[in-house]
Amino acid sequence: MHNIAKLASIALISLGLTACSSSPEDDMEFSKSSPEVLYSQARNSMELGNYSKAVRSLEALDSRYPFGPHKTQVQLDLIYAYYKLDDPASGIANIDRFIRLNPTHKDIDYVYYMRGLVNMQSDSYLFHDMLNIDRTDRDPKVAQDAFKDFDRLIKQYPNSKYAADAQKRMQYLKNRLAKYSIAVAEYYMKMNAWSAAAVRAQSVMEGYPGTPSTERALEIMASAYGELGQDKLKDNVLTVMQANFPNNSMLNN
């Protein structure tokens, strides 16, 4: 019954995602509206959580009045609305346009923060999350992009009010990227590609230290070096494991 409820939710979300295109009636209404009226409509729609309607008003404003009094705020609102609609492609396109046109804007730190959020959203795979499907092995490119976005924000705008949350999200992304590398290393082990497995596990130790995947990375390295006959390297790994994970079962073998 629980899975049926989840599937029903997915169906409703799918229907909602198809309801964002404008109609001829919308176009006629927008053509008669002043920029002030259009912007007021957009803000009201956003406050009510009707982001698809807000996007239609904001896009009409952006195309009909590109130099209007609300031009930069319209672009910022579009970024947020597309994020709420789970439309990362449109979100990133609007973010990159804003950065290109307004590199010194007072809210540029917010835009970089939103870029990280949108890339994280693109990596999340909503349907997999709803059905509790672990897809750690999926392509990590957008997760890497999100990590870079948050890293840029923290380095360029360390006093930003978004920096603390960005730091927390970077830790989550480190864990996700480390798990991906572990999945790759385990695949190499299944293929008896022991050298490649050791190198991939080592990349976790170097690139994502302190993550929950560290212990597994050490296990893979120890196993791989053992298979390769690299006893000294294996002993070095076991020494590190003894210092950090003394209860690991490999230490009793």
Side-chain angles (χ1 to χ4, degrees):
M1 182 65 69
H2 187 55
N3 286 337
I4 292 174
K6 285 185 175 182
L7 290 170
S9 297
I10 290 173
L12 288 172
I13 292 170
S14 298
L15 287 173
L17 291 176
T18 63
C20 299
S21 58
S22 62
S23 66
E25 291 80 7
D26 286 334
D27 293 337
M28 184 172 295
E29 179 185 348
F30 294 153
S31 67
K32 298 177 181 178
S33 300
S34 68
E36 289 75 16
V37 169
L38 276 176
Y39 188 66
S40 177
Q41 291 174 346
R43 292 303 307 176
N44 287 338
S45 296
M46 291 183 72
E47 289 170 7
L48 293 172
N50 190 343
Y51 294 102
S52 60
K53 186 174 181 180
V55 161
R56 293 196 294 270
S57 298
L58 292 167
E59 289 284 11
L61 258 174
D62 195 41
S63 61
R64 295 177 184 277
Y65 306 102
F67 305 106
H70 307 292
K71 63 178 182 178
T72 54
Q73 190 58 49
V74 165
Q75 293 169 17
L76 291 170
D77 288 345
L78 269 173
I79 290 168
Y80 184 73
Y82 276 124
Y83 170 69
K84 296 298 289 185
L85 284 172
D86 195 11
D87 184 350
S90 297
I92 291 295
N94 278 274
I95 286 168
D96 289 347
R97 183 184 68 155
F98 189 95
I99 293 172
R100 186 175 66 254
L101 297 176
N102 309 279
T104 60
H105 192 274
K106 63 182 180 64
D107 294 322
I108 197 68
D109 60 327
Y110 166 77
V111 178
Y112 280 118
Y113 174 70
M114 286 302 300
R115 197 177 199 284
L117 288 186
V118 171
N119 274 317
M120 278 191 74
Q121 183 182 65
S122 185
D123 183 62
S124 68
Y125 285 74
L126 175 63
F127 296 163
H128 292 159
D129 293 342
M130 291 182 69
L131 296 175
N132 296 320
I133 299 172
D134 182 8
R135 285 303 313 276
T136 301
D137 60 344
R138 63 185 179 270
D139 186 345
K141 183 183 183 307
V142 286
Q144 293 167 340
D145 289 343
F147 188 90
K148 292 175 184 176
D149 293 330
F150 292 132
D151 187 54
R152 182 189 295 116
L153 167 66
I154 291 170
K155 288 178 178 176
Q156 294 186 5
Y157 309 97
N159 298 320
S160 169
K161 64 182 179 181
Y162 306 104
D165 186 68
Q167 187 70 58
K168 294 177 183 177
R169 292 177 184 276
M170 286 178 71
Q171 185 59 53
Y172 168 85
L173 289 164
K174 280 178 66 175
N175 295 344
R176 182 261 189 268
L177 293 169
K179 287 178 69 175
Y180 173 79
S181 288
I182 291 296
V184 173
E186 289 175 339
Y187 169 77
Y188 286 142
M189 292 176 72
K190 290 178 182 178
M191 301 298 293
N192 294 324
W194 300 107
S195 181
V199 169
R200 195 72 190 213
Q202 179 68 30
S203 74
V204 173
M205 301 296 297
E206 295 174 351
Y208 312 111
T211 64
S213 297
T214 300
E215 184 172 8
R216 181 58 182 146
L218 290 169
E219 291 174 350
I220 292 172
M221 291 171 67
S223 297
Y225 290 141
E227 293 289 340
L228 291 168
Q230 300 284 344
D231 294 336
K232 185 174 181 179
L233 290 175
K234 179 180 178 180
D235 289 343
N236 290 340
V237 171
L238 293 176
T239 298
V240 174
M241 187 181 291
Q242 178 68 58
N244 293 276
F245 306 100
N247 297 321
N248 189 283
S249 60
M250 291 189 73
L251 297 173
N252 299 321
N253 295 334

